[in-house]
mmCIF file of all heavy atoms in Angstrom:
data_model
loop_
_atom_site.group_PDB
_atom_site.id
_atom_site.type_symbol
_atom_site.label_atom_id
_atom_site.label_comp_id
_atom_site.label_asym_id
_atom_site.label_seq_id
_atom_site.Cartn_x
_atom_site.Cartn_y
_atom_site.Cartn_z
ATOM 1 N N ASN F 19 -1.669 3.284 -23.482
ATOM 2 C CA ASN F 19 -0.259 3.243 -23.701
ATOM 3 C C ASN F 19 0.426 4.586 -23.864
ATOM 4 O O ASN F 19 1.488 4.690 -24.485
ATOM 5 C CB ASN F 19 0.146 2.274 -24.776
ATOM 6 C CG ASN F 19 -0.265 0.804 -24.526
ATOM 7 O OD1 ASN F 19 -0.223 0.344 -23.392
ATOM 8 N ND2 ASN F 19 -0.698 0.133 -25.524
ATOM 9 N N ASN F 20 -0.191 5.690 -23.349
ATOM 10 C CA ASN F 20 0.458 7.005 -23.420
ATOM 11 C C ASN F 20 0.914 7.498 -22.112
ATOM 12 O O ASN F 20 1.416 8.572 -21.997
ATOM 13 C CB ASN F 20 -0.579 8.010 -23.937
ATOM 14 C CG ASN F 20 -0.904 7.786 -25.417
ATOM 15 O OD1 ASN F 20 0.010 7.777 -26.275
ATOM 16 N ND2 ASN F 20 -2.114 7.514 -25.735
ATOM 17 N N PHE F 21 0.822 6.601 -21.067
ATOM 18 C CA PHE F 21 1.173 6.976 -19.741
ATOM 19 C C PHE F 21 1.762 5.754 -18.978
ATOM 20 O O PHE F 21 1.122 4.714 -18.974
ATOM 21 C CB PHE F 21 0.020 7.521 -18.981
ATOM 22 C CG PHE F 21 0.251 8.303 -17.712
ATOM 23 C CD1 PHE F 21 0.915 9.562 -17.735
ATOM 24 C CD2 PHE F 21 -0.052 7.700 -16.468
ATOM 25 C CE1 PHE F 21 1.148 10.281 -16.580
ATOM 26 C CE2 PHE F 21 0.182 8.504 -15.331
ATOM 27 C CZ PHE F 21 0.832 9.689 -15.316
ATOM 28 N N VAL F 22 2.966 5.957 -18.396
ATOM 29 C CA VAL F 22 3.440 4.852 -17.522
ATOM 30 C C VAL F 22 2.919 5.101 -16.086
ATOM 31 O O VAL F 22 3.358 6.063 -15.367
ATOM 32 C CB VAL F 22 4.983 4.897 -17.446
ATOM 33 C CG1 VAL F 22 5.530 3.851 -16.580
ATOM 34 C CG2 VAL F 22 5.533 4.760 -18.877
ATOM 35 N N PHE F 23 1.922 4.347 -15.690
ATOM 36 C CA PHE F 23 1.322 4.550 -14.360
ATOM 37 C C PHE F 23 2.289 4.020 -13.294
ATOM 38 O O PHE F 23 2.771 2.853 -13.304
ATOM 39 C CB PHE F 23 0.079 3.668 -14.315
ATOM 40 C CG PHE F 23 -1.023 4.165 -15.129
ATOM 41 C CD1 PHE F 23 -1.247 3.593 -16.438
ATOM 42 C CD2 PHE F 23 -1.920 5.186 -14.757
ATOM 43 C CE1 PHE F 23 -2.290 4.069 -17.264
ATOM 44 C CE2 PHE F 23 -2.944 5.645 -15.536
ATOM 45 C CZ PHE F 23 -3.146 5.096 -16.763
ATOM 46 N N ILE F 24 2.631 4.884 -12.310
ATOM 47 C CA ILE F 24 3.557 4.556 -11.286
ATOM 48 C C ILE F 24 2.856 4.622 -9.862
ATOM 49 O O ILE F 24 3.316 3.957 -9.045
ATOM 50 C CB ILE F 24 4.771 5.507 -11.351
ATOM 51 C CG1 ILE F 24 5.481 5.303 -12.668
ATOM 52 C CG2 ILE F 24 5.732 5.352 -10.153
ATOM 53 C CD1 ILE F 24 6.691 6.192 -12.892
ATOM 54 N N GLY F 25 1.876 5.469 -9.753
ATOM 55 C CA GLY F 25 1.205 5.566 -8.457
ATOM 56 C C GLY F 25 -0.245 6.033 -8.655
ATOM 57 O O GLY F 25 -0.553 6.798 -9.627
ATOM 58 N N TYR F 26 -1.161 5.701 -7.751
ATOM 59 C CA TYR F 26 -2.558 6.112 -7.739
ATOM 60 C C TYR F 26 -3.104 6.094 -6.324
ATOM 61 O O TYR F 26 -2.741 5.307 -5.505
ATOM 62 C CB TYR F 26 -3.399 5.150 -8.525
ATOM 63 C CG TYR F 26 -4.902 5.413 -8.341
ATOM 64 C CD1 TYR F 26 -5.533 6.393 -9.004
ATOM 65 C CD2 TYR F 26 -5.599 4.648 -7.411
ATOM 66 C CE1 TYR F 26 -6.889 6.704 -8.732
ATOM 67 C CE2 TYR F 26 -6.915 4.883 -7.116
ATOM 68 C CZ TYR F 26 -7.576 5.888 -7.772
ATOM 69 O OH TYR F 26 -8.884 6.201 -7.569
ATOM 70 N N LYS F 27 -3.910 7.081 -5.997
ATOM 71 C CA LYS F 27 -4.641 7.156 -4.803
ATOM 72 C C LYS F 27 -5.882 8.095 -4.870
ATOM 73 O O LYS F 27 -5.791 9.040 -5.687
ATOM 74 C CB LYS F 27 -3.748 7.641 -3.626
ATOM 75 C CG LYS F 27 -4.296 7.482 -2.263
ATOM 76 C CD LYS F 27 -3.324 7.746 -1.109
ATOM 77 C CE LYS F 27 -2.359 6.566 -0.915
ATOM 78 N NZ LYS F 27 -1.547 6.687 0.293
ATOM 79 N N THR F 28 -6.913 7.731 -4.049
ATOM 80 C CA THR F 28 -8.116 8.611 -4.086
ATOM 81 C C THR F 28 -8.008 9.530 -2.895
ATOM 82 O O THR F 28 -7.571 9.079 -1.743
ATOM 83 C CB THR F 28 -9.365 7.714 -3.952
ATOM 84 O OG1 THR F 28 -9.409 6.820 -5.039
ATOM 85 C CG2 THR F 28 -10.631 8.588 -3.966
ATOM 86 N N TYR F 29 -8.404 10.818 -3.074
ATOM 87 C CA TYR F 29 -8.359 11.755 -1.987
ATOM 88 C C TYR F 29 -9.751 12.393 -1.795
ATOM 89 O O TYR F 29 -10.523 12.517 -2.821
ATOM 90 C CB TYR F 29 -7.383 12.806 -2.302
ATOM 91 C CG TYR F 29 -5.871 12.363 -2.201
ATOM 92 C CD1 TYR F 29 -5.318 11.718 -3.279
ATOM 93 C CD2 TYR F 29 -5.225 12.497 -0.969
ATOM 94 C CE1 TYR F 29 -4.019 11.296 -3.204
ATOM 95 C CE2 TYR F 29 -3.854 12.087 -0.923
ATOM 96 C CZ TYR F 29 -3.298 11.490 -2.075
ATOM 97 O OH TYR F 29 -1.994 11.034 -1.928
ATOM 98 N N ARG F 30 -10.097 12.805 -0.638
ATOM 99 C CA ARG F 30 -11.304 13.445 -0.324
ATOM 100 C C ARG F 30 -11.083 14.755 0.380
ATOM 101 O O ARG F 30 -10.155 14.883 1.200
ATOM 102 C CB ARG F 30 -12.281 12.589 0.551
ATOM 103 C CG ARG F 30 -12.759 11.337 -0.184
ATOM 104 C CD ARG F 30 -13.861 11.668 -1.130
ATOM 105 N NE ARG F 30 -14.334 10.353 -1.822
ATOM 106 C CZ ARG F 30 -13.943 9.997 -2.973
ATOM 107 N NH1 ARG F 30 -12.984 10.648 -3.655
ATOM 108 N NH2 ARG F 30 -14.449 8.925 -3.542
ATOM 109 N N ILE F 31 -11.894 15.780 0.004
ATOM 110 C CA ILE F 31 -11.747 17.044 0.725
ATOM 111 C C ILE F 31 -12.662 16.975 2.012
ATOM 112 O O ILE F 31 -13.735 16.502 2.034
ATOM 113 C CB ILE F 31 -12.306 18.179 -0.205
ATOM 114 C CG1 ILE F 31 -11.413 18.357 -1.447
ATOM 115 C CG2 ILE F 31 -12.267 19.526 0.605
ATOM 116 C CD1 ILE F 31 -11.976 19.327 -2.359
ATOM 117 N N ARG F 32 -12.026 17.466 3.119
ATOM 118 C CA ARG F 32 -12.846 17.526 4.272
ATOM 119 C C ARG F 32 -12.463 18.874 4.977
ATOM 120 O O ARG F 32 -11.463 19.451 4.863
ATOM 121 C CB ARG F 32 -12.509 16.383 5.294
ATOM 122 C CG ARG F 32 -11.169 16.278 5.900
ATOM 123 C CD ARG F 32 -11.110 15.145 6.917
ATOM 124 N NE ARG F 32 -9.839 14.989 7.545
ATOM 125 C CZ ARG F 32 -9.432 15.652 8.626
ATOM 126 N NH1 ARG F 32 -10.313 16.478 9.224
ATOM 127 N NH2 ARG F 32 -8.203 15.399 9.147
ATOM 128 N N GLU F 33 -13.517 19.379 5.729
ATOM 129 C CA GLU F 33 -13.306 20.676 6.399
ATOM 130 C C GLU F 33 -13.205 20.434 7.890
ATOM 131 O O GLU F 33 -13.828 19.585 8.531
ATOM 132 C CB GLU F 33 -14.595 21.571 6.104
ATOM 133 C CG GLU F 33 -14.658 21.972 4.665
ATOM 134 C CD GLU F 33 -15.852 23.023 4.475
ATOM 135 O OE1 GLU F 33 -16.349 23.456 5.501
ATOM 136 O OE2 GLU F 33 -16.164 23.259 3.325
ATOM 137 N N GLU F 34 -12.384 21.333 8.471
ATOM 138 C CA GLU F 34 -12.125 21.186 9.940
ATOM 139 C C GLU F 34 -11.663 22.570 10.387
ATOM 140 O O GLU F 34 -10.715 23.050 9.929
ATOM 141 C CB GLU F 34 -10.961 20.120 10.163
ATOM 142 C CG GLU F 34 -10.770 19.920 11.648
ATOM 143 C CD GLU F 34 -9.710 18.858 11.928
ATOM 144 O OE1 GLU F 34 -9.917 17.688 11.364
ATOM 145 O OE2 GLU F 34 -8.771 19.053 12.701
ATOM 146 N N ALA F 35 -12.449 23.132 11.359
ATOM 147 C CA ALA F 35 -12.154 24.448 11.964
ATOM 148 C C ALA F 35 -11.930 25.482 10.886
ATOM 149 O O ALA F 35 -10.950 26.226 10.845
ATOM 150 C CB ALA F 35 -10.799 24.345 12.827
ATOM 151 N N SER F 36 -12.922 25.518 9.918
ATOM 152 C CA SER F 36 -12.948 26.485 8.889
ATOM 153 C C SER F 36 -11.737 26.351 7.836
ATOM 154 O O SER F 36 -11.571 27.279 7.063
ATOM 155 C CB SER F 36 -12.960 27.907 9.427
ATOM 156 O OG SER F 36 -14.123 28.146 10.266
ATOM 157 N N GLU F 37 -11.084 25.304 7.904
ATOM 158 C CA GLU F 37 -10.046 25.068 6.921
ATOM 159 C C GLU F 37 -10.254 23.762 6.192
ATOM 160 O O GLU F 37 -10.954 22.865 6.701
ATOM 161 C CB GLU F 37 -8.637 24.981 7.634
ATOM 162 C CG GLU F 37 -8.238 26.277 8.216
ATOM 163 C CD GLU F 37 -6.788 26.261 8.709
ATOM 164 O OE1 GLU F 37 -6.394 25.152 9.271
ATOM 165 O OE2 GLU F 37 -6.011 27.220 8.482
ATOM 166 N N GLU F 38 -9.789 23.674 4.978
ATOM 167 C CA GLU F 38 -10.021 22.506 4.138
ATOM 168 C C GLU F 38 -8.702 21.691 4.028
ATOM 169 O O GLU F 38 -7.591 22.139 3.953
ATOM 170 C CB GLU F 38 -10.437 22.850 2.753
ATOM 171 C CG GLU F 38 -11.857 23.527 2.732
ATOM 172 C CD GLU F 38 -12.381 23.662 1.308
ATOM 173 O OE1 GLU F 38 -11.606 24.037 0.384
ATOM 174 O OE2 GLU F 38 -13.595 23.435 1.083
ATOM 175 N N TYR F 39 -8.930 20.407 4.072
ATOM 176 C CA TYR F 39 -7.832 19.379 4.059
ATOM 177 C C TYR F 39 -8.093 18.412 2.931
ATOM 178 O O TYR F 39 -9.270 18.097 2.630
ATOM 179 C CB TYR F 39 -7.704 18.695 5.400
ATOM 180 C CG TYR F 39 -7.203 19.540 6.579
ATOM 181 C CD1 TYR F 39 -8.189 20.361 7.195
ATOM 182 C CD2 TYR F 39 -5.947 19.575 6.949
ATOM 183 C CE1 TYR F 39 -7.810 21.164 8.286
ATOM 184 C CE2 TYR F 39 -5.594 20.408 8.008
ATOM 185 C CZ TYR F 39 -6.461 21.140 8.662
ATOM 186 O OH TYR F 39 -6.085 21.957 9.718
ATOM 187 N N LEU F 40 -7.027 17.821 2.408
ATOM 188 C CA LEU F 40 -7.112 16.712 1.437
ATOM 189 C C LEU F 40 -6.696 15.467 2.190
ATOM 190 O O LEU F 40 -5.626 15.331 2.637
ATOM 191 C CB LEU F 40 -6.232 17.000 0.189
ATOM 192 C CG LEU F 40 -6.573 16.304 -1.106
ATOM 193 C CD1 LEU F 40 -8.051 16.706 -1.528
ATOM 194 C CD2 LEU F 40 -5.635 16.625 -2.184
ATOM 195 N N GLN F 41 -7.650 14.467 2.267
ATOM 196 C CA GLN F 41 -7.433 13.319 3.014
ATOM 197 C C GLN F 41 -7.415 12.115 2.146
ATOM 198 O O GLN F 41 -8.261 11.902 1.300
ATOM 199 C CB GLN F 41 -8.620 13.107 4.002
ATOM 200 C CG GLN F 41 -8.627 11.828 4.785
ATOM 201 C CD GLN F 41 -7.525 11.818 5.885
ATOM 202 O OE1 GLN F 41 -7.612 12.620 6.758
ATOM 203 N NE2 GLN F 41 -6.613 10.836 5.797
ATOM 204 N N ALA F 42 -6.311 11.357 2.174
ATOM 205 C CA ALA F 42 -6.206 10.077 1.421
ATOM 206 C C ALA F 42 -7.281 9.116 1.898
ATOM 207 O O ALA F 42 -7.490 8.988 3.140
ATOM 208 C CB ALA F 42 -4.830 9.488 1.560
ATOM 209 N N VAL F 43 -7.861 8.455 0.931
ATOM 210 C CA VAL F 43 -8.907 7.382 1.289
ATOM 211 C C VAL F 43 -8.130 6.111 1.490
ATOM 212 O O VAL F 43 -7.388 5.589 0.693
ATOM 213 C CB VAL F 43 -9.926 7.214 0.144
ATOM 214 C CG1 VAL F 43 -10.882 6.077 0.469
ATOM 215 C CG2 VAL F 43 -10.620 8.527 -0.067
ATOM 216 N N GLU F 44 -8.221 5.586 2.702
ATOM 217 C CA GLU F 44 -7.546 4.390 3.147
ATOM 218 C C GLU F 44 -7.818 3.169 2.209
ATOM 219 O O GLU F 44 -8.957 2.951 1.839
ATOM 220 C CB GLU F 44 -7.873 3.957 4.559
ATOM 221 C CG GLU F 44 -7.057 2.871 5.170
ATOM 222 C CD GLU F 44 -7.352 2.623 6.607
ATOM 223 O OE1 GLU F 44 -8.124 3.399 7.205
ATOM 224 O OE2 GLU F 44 -6.836 1.616 7.121
ATOM 225 N N GLY F 45 -6.748 2.485 1.833
ATOM 226 C CA GLY F 45 -6.908 1.288 1.033
ATOM 227 C C GLY F 45 -7.005 1.475 -0.469
ATOM 228 O O GLY F 45 -7.088 0.566 -1.216
ATOM 229 N N THR F 46 -6.881 2.781 -0.868
ATOM 230 C CA THR F 46 -7.003 3.063 -2.325
ATOM 231 C C THR F 46 -5.634 3.215 -3.059
ATOM 232 O O THR F 46 -5.577 3.279 -4.325
ATOM 233 C CB THR F 46 -7.842 4.401 -2.644
ATOM 234 O OG1 THR F 46 -7.083 5.462 -2.031
ATOM 235 C CG2 THR F 46 -9.235 4.212 -2.043
ATOM 236 N N GLY F 47 -4.562 3.265 -2.295
ATOM 237 C CA GLY F 47 -3.241 3.483 -2.889
ATOM 238 C C GLY F 47 -2.737 2.300 -3.722
ATOM 239 O O GLY F 47 -2.862 1.108 -3.300
ATOM 240 N N LEU F 48 -2.140 2.602 -4.819
ATOM 241 C CA LEU F 48 -1.517 1.573 -5.668
ATOM 242 C C LEU F 48 -0.153 2.107 -6.180
ATOM 243 O O LEU F 48 0.122 3.315 -6.143
ATOM 244 C CB LEU F 48 -2.442 1.331 -6.926
ATOM 245 C CG LEU F 48 -3.794 0.763 -6.711
ATOM 246 C CD1 LEU F 48 -4.593 0.769 -7.947
ATOM 247 C CD2 LEU F 48 -3.669 -0.742 -6.216
ATOM 248 N N GLY F 49 0.717 1.156 -6.584
ATOM 249 C CA GLY F 49 2.066 1.579 -6.959
ATOM 250 C C GLY F 49 2.840 2.238 -5.881
ATOM 251 O O GLY F 49 2.700 1.830 -4.719
ATOM 252 N N ILE F 50 3.530 3.291 -6.148
ATOM 253 C CA ILE F 50 4.402 3.945 -5.210
ATOM 254 C C ILE F 50 3.470 4.696 -4.143
ATOM 255 O O ILE F 50 4.027 5.102 -3.120
ATOM 256 C CB ILE F 50 5.376 4.912 -5.738
ATOM 257 C CG1 ILE F 50 4.668 6.082 -6.555
ATOM 258 C CG2 ILE F 50 6.365 4.171 -6.670
ATOM 259 C CD1 ILE F 50 5.591 7.140 -7.007
ATOM 260 N N LEU F 51 2.205 4.829 -4.399
ATOM 261 C CA LEU F 51 1.334 5.397 -3.393
ATOM 262 C C LEU F 51 0.527 4.390 -2.580
ATOM 263 O O LEU F 51 -0.430 4.675 -1.875
ATOM 264 C CB LEU F 51 0.270 6.389 -4.066
ATOM 265 C CG LEU F 51 0.871 7.571 -4.727
ATOM 266 C CD1 LEU F 51 -0.187 8.432 -5.373
ATOM 267 C CD2 LEU F 51 1.664 8.444 -3.787
ATOM 268 N N ARG F 52 0.944 3.078 -2.729
ATOM 269 C CA ARG F 52 0.337 2.009 -2.002
ATOM 270 C C ARG F 52 0.412 2.224 -0.511
ATOM 271 O O ARG F 52 -0.465 1.934 0.270
ATOM 272 C CB ARG F 52 0.952 0.660 -2.361
ATOM 273 C CG ARG F 52 0.228 -0.513 -1.838
ATOM 274 C CD ARG F 52 1.045 -1.764 -2.015
ATOM 275 N NE ARG F 52 1.192 -2.214 -3.434
ATOM 276 C CZ ARG F 52 1.834 -3.260 -3.830
ATOM 277 N NH1 ARG F 52 2.509 -4.057 -2.872
ATOM 278 N NH2 ARG F 52 1.906 -3.588 -5.052
ATOM 279 N N HIS F 53 1.589 2.679 -0.144
ATOM 280 C CA HIS F 53 1.873 2.971 1.273
ATOM 281 C C HIS F 53 2.056 4.500 1.417
ATOM 282 O O HIS F 53 2.131 5.275 0.499
ATOM 283 C CB HIS F 53 3.005 2.203 1.766
ATOM 284 C CG HIS F 53 2.956 0.752 1.543
ATOM 285 N ND1 HIS F 53 2.021 -0.073 2.083
ATOM 286 C CD2 HIS F 53 3.715 -0.024 0.621
ATOM 287 C CE1 HIS F 53 2.215 -1.355 1.603
ATOM 288 N NE2 HIS F 53 3.189 -1.329 0.731
ATOM 289 N N GLY F 54 2.338 4.939 2.610
ATOM 290 C CA GLY F 54 2.624 6.406 2.797
ATOM 291 C C GLY F 54 1.763 7.009 3.916
ATOM 292 O O GLY F 54 0.875 6.340 4.438
ATOM 293 N N ASP F 55 2.117 8.200 4.127
ATOM 294 C CA ASP F 55 1.468 8.952 5.273
ATOM 295 C C ASP F 55 0.031 9.264 4.990
ATOM 296 O O ASP F 55 -0.323 9.869 3.948
ATOM 297 C CB ASP F 55 2.247 10.300 5.556
ATOM 298 C CG ASP F 55 1.782 10.994 6.798
ATOM 299 O OD1 ASP F 55 0.955 10.436 7.492
ATOM 300 O OD2 ASP F 55 2.271 12.135 7.012
ATOM 301 N N ALA F 56 -0.873 8.826 5.897
ATOM 302 C CA ALA F 56 -2.308 9.090 5.646
ATOM 303 C C ALA F 56 -2.778 10.362 6.337
ATOM 304 O O ALA F 56 -3.940 10.700 6.315
ATOM 305 C CB ALA F 56 -3.133 7.938 6.250
ATOM 306 N N LYS F 57 -1.810 11.101 6.877
ATOM 307 C CA LYS F 57 -2.140 12.373 7.525
ATOM 308 C C LYS F 57 -2.761 13.383 6.534
ATOM 309 O O LYS F 57 -2.148 13.619 5.470
ATOM 310 C CB LYS F 57 -0.819 12.928 8.180
ATOM 311 C CG LYS F 57 -1.097 14.210 9.001
ATOM 312 C CD LYS F 57 0.209 14.729 9.575
ATOM 313 C CE LYS F 57 -0.025 15.999 10.352
ATOM 314 N NZ LYS F 57 1.285 16.491 11.041
ATOM 315 N N PRO F 58 -3.875 14.011 6.876
ATOM 316 C CA PRO F 58 -4.473 14.945 5.920
ATOM 317 C C PRO F 58 -3.562 16.197 5.686
ATOM 318 O O PRO F 58 -2.836 16.613 6.638
ATOM 319 C CB PRO F 58 -5.825 15.323 6.599
ATOM 320 C CG PRO F 58 -5.561 15.013 8.050
ATOM 321 C CD PRO F 58 -4.650 13.849 8.122
ATOM 322 N N ARG F 59 -3.591 16.728 4.511
ATOM 323 C CA ARG F 59 -2.757 17.839 4.186
ATOM 324 C C ARG F 59 -3.640 19.072 3.959
ATOM 325 O O ARG F 59 -4.636 19.046 3.205
ATOM 326 C CB ARG F 59 -2.025 17.544 2.872
ATOM 327 C CG ARG F 59 -1.144 18.726 2.377
ATOM 328 C CD ARG F 59 -0.311 18.267 1.234
ATOM 329 N NE ARG F 59 -1.028 17.872 -0.029
ATOM 330 C CZ ARG F 59 -1.418 18.757 -0.889
ATOM 331 N NH1 ARG F 59 -1.208 20.076 -0.757
ATOM 332 N NH2 ARG F 59 -2.123 18.349 -1.866
#
């Protein structure tokens, strides 16, 4: 009870063309992160 949970999601690091991206793991989003862009950042 020290935190109001509003969103959660799991992310994985992946490498592509010598650059690193943070990729959302499909189906892990909860709260305000339940939906949203799955495009790697």
Side-chain angles (χ1 to χ4, degrees):
N19 298 320
N20 290 302
F21 194 69
V22 179
F23 292 95
I24 295 176
Y26 166 83
K27 189 170 281 188
T28 304
Y29 291 83
R30 293 285 181 262
I31 298 173
R32 67 178 181 84
E33 293 187 10
E34 185 176 306
S36 301
E37 292 188 321
E38 290 190 322
Y39 293 80
L40 204 58
Q41 173 75 61
V43 178
E44 187 176 353
T46 61
L48 295 169
I50 62 171
L51 296 180
R52 186 191 294 181
H53 308 294
D55 188 5
K57 184 179 179 180
R59 180 171 62 87

